[in-house]
């Protein structure tokens, strides 16, 4: 096969668009060239000039016809030239082509062999990449955050904000330095900046991204907190770190101030907790003191009550002893008469009866005192007859009641049997009666106390306590159950009596207590609670 026929075969079968250009006119082309320009017949391409398959101007602004002559002349001069060109198809669509012009001799004539390859997709990708690069550069340079590019060795680029952030004058002062050059020797956590930066940079390169806070240092030595984000990117086939640096000094100062405030509040809370614990302990001691004071009043009252019958019994016993000695002496002397002996027996019987009655009265008082005193210091439940127990409590307070010139009337059925902590009931009744005498009744005038007890369904007990004393002002009525509230502090009041009563009823007995009063018309307490186990 001759060279001519071989060239013809390659020319016709090539996938690239091939054409023969003679005297600036296409004189032949292959099918691929027709496909590239969108022609259906050779006549649409052959006989045309390159300018007719080109837009008026090329992307660099030169007229296509003028630039085509330059490229053809370059080919004739050098023998070959290659370049990129924007062509147009038959329908007017523009496309990028990689053009190769080769000077050759064909049939004894100088011609130019033209090869076109459509590179539109490649060119569009290049243009998009270039556009993205321009966008990146614009964002990079215009960002208010300090941006830079960092290799494992040093900074290779930065934006104006980064230059300004550290107090440099020119970008050239940054290129080539390392993060260590603009950091203090040690970071706030005690690590050296060198060791910590090395670890962070290695992590960023291995994991692709890292965010952290860093103490940087300006050229004038001023240290400031930064938030830094490192991204691994590829620039011109080299892996680098794209770093965003933001000054967070104000934020950090606020965090430190908030932490300091939090620590101060935490310390204050601990102090308040300690104070509250001490207050609770003190309150418990005061409550216990109030209970002991109540018990002390009970002891004093009972002692006073016992004093009279014991005194009478002692007097009677003494007189009986004297009469016995006298009758014995007369008996020894033989001077006793039958009448004397009968008179002695009658007198002895009277004195014995007197002593017996007063000792029985004393025993009853001691029994009541013992039971109430034990109840007030015990937390055990036991079964009681409500009326009997109320009478025992009232009896134990007889001295206090009499001293206060008060009268207590009890309205309670005989058959109310309940299982409860009687000491709590004794404390409640004692506090209410003592409160009426000390606060409700004017000194020297006394008053009346009415106590009504009723049993309802499912073991519910209601107690209505009333007095006809001075009453409570509207202003103080809402505060009477508050701890330490008293209108009689100057006379020894602790302000815990009604608070203890409230806590016993609402907490220990699981009930309720309400107080109503009109100043000058006395006070009324309505108490309700459920017995733990009502006995029938």
């Amino acid at each position: 096969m001759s060279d001519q026929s071989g060239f013809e075969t390659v020319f016709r079968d090539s996938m690239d668009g091939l054409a023969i250009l003679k005297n600036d006119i296409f004189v032949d082309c292959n099918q691929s060239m027709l496909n590239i320009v969108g022609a259906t017949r050779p006549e649409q391409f052959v006989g045309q000039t390159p300018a007719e398959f080109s837009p008026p101007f090329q992307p660099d602004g030169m007229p296509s016809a003028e630039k085509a002559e330059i490229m053809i002349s370059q080919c004739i001069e050098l023998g070959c030239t290659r370049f990129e060109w924007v062509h147009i198809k038959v329908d007017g669509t523009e496309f990028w082509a990689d053009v190769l012009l080769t000077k050759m001799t064909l049939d004894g004539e100088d011609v130019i062999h033209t090869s076109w390859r459509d590179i539109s997709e490649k060119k569009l990708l290049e243009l998009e990449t270039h556009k993205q690069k321009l966008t990146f550069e614009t964002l990079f340079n215009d960002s208010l955050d300090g941006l830079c590019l960092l290799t494992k060795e040093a900074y290779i680029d930065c934006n104006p904000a980064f230059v300004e952030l550290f107090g440099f004058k020119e970008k050239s002062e940054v290129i080539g330095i390392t993060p260590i050059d603009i950091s203090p020797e040690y970071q706030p956590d005690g690590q050296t900046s060198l060791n910590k930066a090395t670890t962070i940079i290695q992590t960023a390169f291995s994991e692709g991204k890292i965010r952290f806070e860093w103490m940087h240092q300006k050229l004038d030595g001023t240290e400031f907190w930064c938030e830094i984000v490192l991204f691994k990117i590829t620039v011109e086939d080299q892996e680098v770190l794209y770093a965003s640096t933001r000054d967070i000094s104000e934020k950090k100062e606020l965090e430190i101030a908030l932490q300091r405030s939090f620590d101060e509040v935490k310390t204050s809370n601990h102090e308040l907790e300690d104070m509250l614990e001490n207050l609770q302990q003190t309150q418990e001691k005061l409550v216990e003191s109030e209970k002991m004071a109540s018990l002390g009043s009970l002891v004093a009252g009972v002692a006073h009550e016992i004093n009279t019958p014991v005194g009478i019994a002692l007097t009677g016993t003494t007189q009986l002893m004297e009469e016995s000695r006298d009758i014995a002496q007369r008996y020894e002397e033989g001077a006793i008469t039958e009448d004397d002996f009968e008179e002695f027996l009658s007198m002895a019987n009277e004195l014995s009866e007197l002593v017996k009655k007063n000792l029985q009265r004393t025993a009853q008082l001691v029994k009541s005192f013992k039971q109430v005193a034990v109840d007030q210091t015990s937390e055990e439940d036991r079964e009681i007859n409500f009326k009997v127990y109320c009478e025992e409590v009232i009896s134990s307070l007889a001295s206090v009641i009499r001293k206060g010139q008060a009268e207590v009337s009890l309205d309670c059925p005989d058959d109310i049997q309940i299982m409860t902590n009687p000491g709590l009931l004794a404390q409640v009744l004692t506090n209410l009666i003592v409160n009426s005498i000390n606060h409700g009744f004017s000194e020297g005038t006394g008053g009346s106390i009415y106590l009504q007890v009723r049993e309802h369904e499912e073991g519910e007990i209601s107690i209505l306590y009333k007095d006809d004393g001075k009453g409570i002002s509207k202003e103080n009525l809402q505060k009477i159950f508050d701890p330490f509230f008293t209108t009689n502090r100057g006379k020894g009041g602790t302000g815990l009596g009604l608070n203890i009563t409230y806590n016993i009823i609402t907490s220990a007995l699981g009930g309720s207590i309400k107080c109503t009063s009109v100043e000058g018309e006395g006070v009324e307490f309505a108490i309700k609670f459920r017995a733990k186990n009502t006995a029938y």
Side-chain angles (χ1 to χ4, degrees), residues 24-26 45 47-55 87-90:
D24 296 337
I25 295 175
F26 291 115
F45 185 84
Q48 307 296 323
T49 66
E52 290 177 289
F53 286 94
S54 302
H87 277 297
I88 57 174
K89 297 184 178 184
V90 173

Side-chain angles (χ1 to χ4, degrees), residues 239-271:
E239 287 188 344
V240 299
L241 295 179
Y242 172 77
S244 170
T245 304
R246 178 174 295 180
D247 186 342
I248 59 169
S249 299
E250 292 185 1
K251 171 190 170 186
K252 204 66 180 178
E253 288 175 3
L254 180 59
E255 286 181 2
I256 294 172
L258 287 174
Q259 184 61 45
R260 188 182 300 114
S261 298
F262 175 77
D263 292 339
E264 290 175 355
V265 170
K266 190 175 181 181
T267 301
S268 298
N269 283 342
H270 286 316
E271 293 175 352

Side-chain angles (χ1 to χ4, degrees), residues 287-320:
V287 168
E288 192 62 30
S289 297
E290 185 76 11
K291 290 181 179 179
M292 291 300 103
S294 176
L295 190 57
S297 297
L298 176 62
V299 171
V302 171
H304 184 274
E305 289 297 306
I306 290 176
N307 187 58
T308 300
V310 168
I312 294 173
L314 181 60
T315 301
T317 303
T318 302
Q319 184 179 351
L320 180 59

Side-chain angles (χ1 to χ4, degrees), residues 169-188:
K169 294 181 179 178
E170 301 290 341
K171 180 195 294 190
S172 58
E173 298 177 72
V174 177
I175 308 305
I177 68 173
T178 69
I180 308 307
D181 296 324
I182 47 177
S183 301
E185 184 177 359
Y186 293 92
Q187 288 298 301

Side-chain angles (χ1 to χ4, degrees), residues 159-281:
N159 69 347
F162 190 90
V163 173
E164 182 180 355
L165 182 62
F166 288 90
F168 292 105
K169 294 181 179 178
E170 301 290 341
K171 180 195 294 190
S172 58
E173 298 177 72
V174 177
I175 308 305
I177 68 173
T178 69
I180 308 307
D181 296 324
I182 47 177
S183 301
E185 184 177 359
Y186 293 92
Q187 288 298 301
D189 61 2
Q191 294 189 61
T192 64
S193 294
L194 176 60
N195 291 339
K196 191 168 185 177
T198 301
T199 301
I200 289 174
I201 291 173
Q202 288 175 349
T203 302
F205 272 108
S206 62
E207 297 183 4
K209 178 182 177 182
I210 189 172
R211 179 190 294 267
F212 58 95
E213 292 181 352
W214 186 264
M215 181 68 76
H216 263 306
Q217 188 177 54
K218 298 186 178 185
L219 281 182
D220 62 6
T222 303
E223 295 181 358
F224 65 103
W225 277 100
C226 293
E227 181 183 58
I228 299 176
V229 182
L230 300 180
F231 293 92
K232 183 175 72 172
I233 63 174
T234 300
V235 176
E236 297 178 354
D237 298 327
Q238 179 186 11
E239 287 188 344
V240 299
L241 295 179
Y242 172 77
S244 170
T245 304
R246 178 174 295 180
D247 186 342
I248 59 169
S249 299
E250 292 185 1
K251 171 190 170 186
K252 204 66 180 178
E253 288 175 3
L254 180 59
E255 286 181 2
I256 294 172
L258 287 174
Q259 184 61 45
R260 188 182 300 114
S261 298
F262 175 77
D263 292 339
E264 290 175 355
V265 170
K266 190 175 181 181
T267 301
S268 298
N269 283 342
H270 286 316
E271 293 175 352
L272 288 173
E273 288 173 359
D274 293 339
M275 290 175 62
L276 181 59
E277 183 177 353
N278 292 334
L279 182 60
Q280 289 173 339
Q281 292 175 356

Side-chain angles (χ1 to χ4, degrees), residues 82-86 94-99 117-131:
R82 188 169 193 162
F83 53 91
E84 291 179 350
W85 190 269
V86 175
E94 294 185 357
F95 67 97
W96 278 91
D98 178 70
V99 179
R117 179 174 295 174
D118 190 336
I119 58 169
S120 297
E121 291 185 5
K122 172 190 171 185
K123 200 63 181 178
L124 288 174
L125 180 61
E126 288 181 359
L127 290 174
E128 183 62 29
T129 302
H130 180 68
K131 181 179 178 181

Side-chain angles (χ1 to χ4, degrees), residues 363-519:
Q364 181 63 36
L365 287 171
V366 170
K367 181 182 178 182
S368 297
F369 163 73
K370 181 180 177 182
Q371 188 59 66
V372 174
V374 169
D375 286 339
Q376 289 199 21
T377 56
S378 173
E379 295 183 359
E380 294 183 0
D381 292 344
R382 67 182 178 89
E383 184 179 331
I384 63 169
N385 179 282
F386 211 107
K387 182 177 182 179
V388 172
Y389 193 76
C390 287
E391 288 174 341
E392 289 178 351
V393 174
I394 294 170
S395 176
S396 69
L397 294 172
S399 177
V400 176
I401 294 171
R402 186 166 52 252
K403 184 179 179 180
Q405 300 179 12
E407 293 183 3
V408 180
S409 58
L410 175 63
D411 177 10
C412 178
D414 297 332
D415 60 349
I416 299 181
Q417 295 286 129
I418 66 169
M419 180 71 71
T420 188
N421 184 330
L424 298 179
L425 293 178
Q427 185 74 48
V428 168
L429 294 177
T430 299
N431 286 351
L432 291 176
I433 292 172
V434 171
N435 193 72
S436 291
I437 293 172
N438 290 342
H439 300 281
F441 302 146
S442 300
E443 190 171 346
T445 61
S448 298
I449 296 173
Y450 173 73
L451 189 61
Q452 181 192 76
V453 181
R454 293 289 184 268
E455 184 176 24
H456 307 280
E457 294 181 357
E458 299 181 358
E460 184 180 75
I461 303 297
S462 66
I463 301 174
L464 180 64
Y465 177 95
K466 299 170 65 176
D467 71 35
D468 58 358
K470 295 181 292 186
I472 304 172
S473 68
K474 186 177 181 180
E475 177 185 355
N476 291 333
L477 190 60
Q478 303 300 319
K479 299 182 287 185
I480 60 170
F481 293 125
D482 293 348
F484 309 111
F485 174 75
T486 179
T487 58
N488 199 22
R489 195 175 303 280
K491 296 182 181 180
T494 64
L496 286 173
L498 288 181
N499 176 254
I500 293 174
T501 299
Y502 179 84
N503 287 331
I504 289 174
I505 296 297
T506 59
S507 298
L509 297 179
S512 64
I513 178 170
K514 295 182 180 180
C515 177
T516 56
S517 179
V518 176
E519 197 166 5

